Amino acid sequence: MKLYMSVDMEGISGLPDDTFVDSSKLNYERGRAIMTDEANYVIEEAFNNGCSEVLVNDSHSKMNNLLIERLHPEAQLISGDVKPFSMVQGLDDTCGGAIFLGYHARASMKGVMSHSMIFGVRHFYINDQAVGELGFNAYVAGYYGVPVLMVAGDKQAALEAEELIPNVATAAVKETISRSAVKCLTPEKAGRLLKEQTAFALRNKDKIKPLTPPDRPVLSIEFANYGQAEWANLMPGTDIKPGTTIVRYEAKDILEAYQAMLVMTELAMRTTFS
């Protein structure tokens, strides 16, 4: 089986705040080393449990965080930005299952460094379903008929995954105290948990169904301020819901909705506050 892994950073054990996930800050090199070690625990266990191929997609910020020189030698790595499908680049129907590692809770929710793509987003909706990065990425996997077998990250991300995906395996490697403080497992203990849950997820993969996206989904993004909504509304086919900061887009499928989200959030980041 070919296993797909999307690896984010905010949900890695031992990383409580942006000093570990921002490449310009003092703890970043420590953060990426721990991130690479966590990826290796999962990759090794995947190969030990029958996977013939593991494709890893670096999914944080500029998406060049994982240390390839320290990565499991049999894995393949997608690294760098810009990617047409960002956090799910390379995921397609050749994959037998997906694992999301280092994930965090969606915007406006409790959880360490919780957000949805950018800090100017309050909520993503697919039709009436509120989703974050985790849910949106799971919908893309579902488009290809690929089940998300395991989600690892902070406890809030684990709870979010369990609400969305019946029977999904989860590995909570840290517990939120506040948005920038956590109670963490040590890297060694987190590694044991990740290996146990990876093995469990692969043994039970037939019990987990893909998260099937709706046909012709309506994407709605609620932004923090109206300026962001104005920028996002520059994308053709969008409209702003009157009296709100919600920008809507009617997509032909979830792949188009995903790329619309990428364009709209990139535009919204151009907003200034002066």
Side-chain angles (χ1 to χ4, degrees), residues 24 30 44 62-63 77 99 107 167 183 199 209 220 270:
S24 68
R30 290 178 62 204
E44 180 180 2
K62 294 301 180 183
M63 304 189 175
L77 175 65
I99 287 177
N167 300 318
K183 182 172 71 175
K209 303 301 181 185
S220 299
R270 299 177 65 88

Side-chain angles (χ1 to χ4, degrees), residues 9-242:
M9 203 167 186
E10 288 89 353
I12 300 294
S13 187
L15 281 56
D17 57 41
D18 67 331
T19 66
F20 287 83
V21 303
D22 184 331
S23 61
S24 68
K25 297 190 176 178
L26 76 160
N27 286 311
Y28 172 70
E29 291 302 325
R30 290 178 62 204
R32 67 196 304 220
I34 299 169
M35 176 191 191
T36 305
D37 289 343
E38 282 204 5
N40 281 336
Y41 286 121
V42 176
I43 296 165
E44 180 180 2
E45 202 63 23
F47 282 123
N48 288 342
N49 284 268
C51 291
S52 57
E53 184 178 346
V54 178
L55 178 61
V56 180
N57 183 36
D58 192 325
S59 297
H60 174 71
S61 188
K62 294 301 180 183
M63 304 189 175
N64 56 4
N65 312 279
L66 288 164
L67 299 167
I68 193 169
E69 64 273 21
R70 290 180 50 170
L71 201 65
H72 191 292
E74 298 305 315
Q76 297 180 75
L77 175 65
I78 299 173
S79 182
D81 198 26
V82 175
K83 300 170 185 171
F85 286 96
S86 188
M87 298 181 75
V88 284
Q89 185 66 38
L91 200 168
D92 60 24
D93 60 8
T94 66
C95 302
I99 287 177
F100 296 164
L101 176 67
Y103 270 52
H104 52 81
R106 61 186 174 89
S108 301
M109 304 302 289
K110 179 181 178 180
V112 60
M113 294 182 275
S114 58
H115 67 280
S116 297
M117 299 304 285
I118 66 169
F119 293 113
V121 167
R122 286 180 175 161
H123 298 287
F124 288 153
Y125 296 95
I126 298 297
N127 294 353
D128 295 324
Q129 175 68 59
V131 295
E133 295 169 18
L134 190 165
F136 218 145
N137 294 345
Y139 270 141
V140 173
Y143 174 87
Y144 291 110
V146 178
V148 177
L149 305 179
M150 184 178 85
V151 174
D154 75 318
K155 184 175 181 179
Q156 299 308 125
L159 292 172
E160 186 174 315
E162 290 164 0
E163 289 178 3
L164 282 170
I165 307 165
N167 300 318
V168 68
T170 57
V173 297
K174 57 187 177 183
E175 185 174 343
T176 295
I177 296 170
S178 72
R179 197 166 174 277
S180 57
V182 286
K183 182 172 71 175
C184 302
L185 299 183
T186 62
E188 182 178 347
K189 191 168 184 179
R192 291 200 299 268
L193 176 63
L194 289 167
K195 293 180 76 169
E196 289 168 4
Q197 290 302 94
T198 300
F200 173 79
L202 290 167
R203 287 196 306 267
N204 289 272
K205 63 182 184 298
D206 294 337
K207 297 180 181 179
I208 307 170
K209 303 301 181 185
L211 186 66
T212 304
D215 296 330
R216 302 196 66 83
V218 177
L219 167 66
S220 299
I221 304 180
E222 182 180 4
F223 290 99
N225 68 60
Y226 202 81
Q228 292 160 334
E230 288 175 326
W231 272 106
N233 185 221
L234 292 179
M235 185 176 127
T238 61
D239 62 82
I240 301 177
K241 184 177 179 180

Side-chain angles (χ1 to χ4, degrees), residues 224-270:
N225 68 60
Y226 202 81
Q228 292 160 334
E230 288 175 326
W231 272 106
N233 185 221
L234 292 179
M235 185 176 127
T238 61
D239 62 82
I240 301 177
K241 184 177 179 180
T244 75
T245 59
I246 297 171
V247 184
R248 298 172 67 260
Y249 180 79
E250 297 182 11
K252 67 179 182 182
D253 57 32
I254 200 68
L255 300 186
E256 185 177 81
Y258 195 88
Q259 290 194 314
M261 176 273 292
L262 295 176
V263 172
M264 291 160 70
T265 52
E266 285 292 323
L267 286 168
M269 284 195 294
R270 299 177 65 88

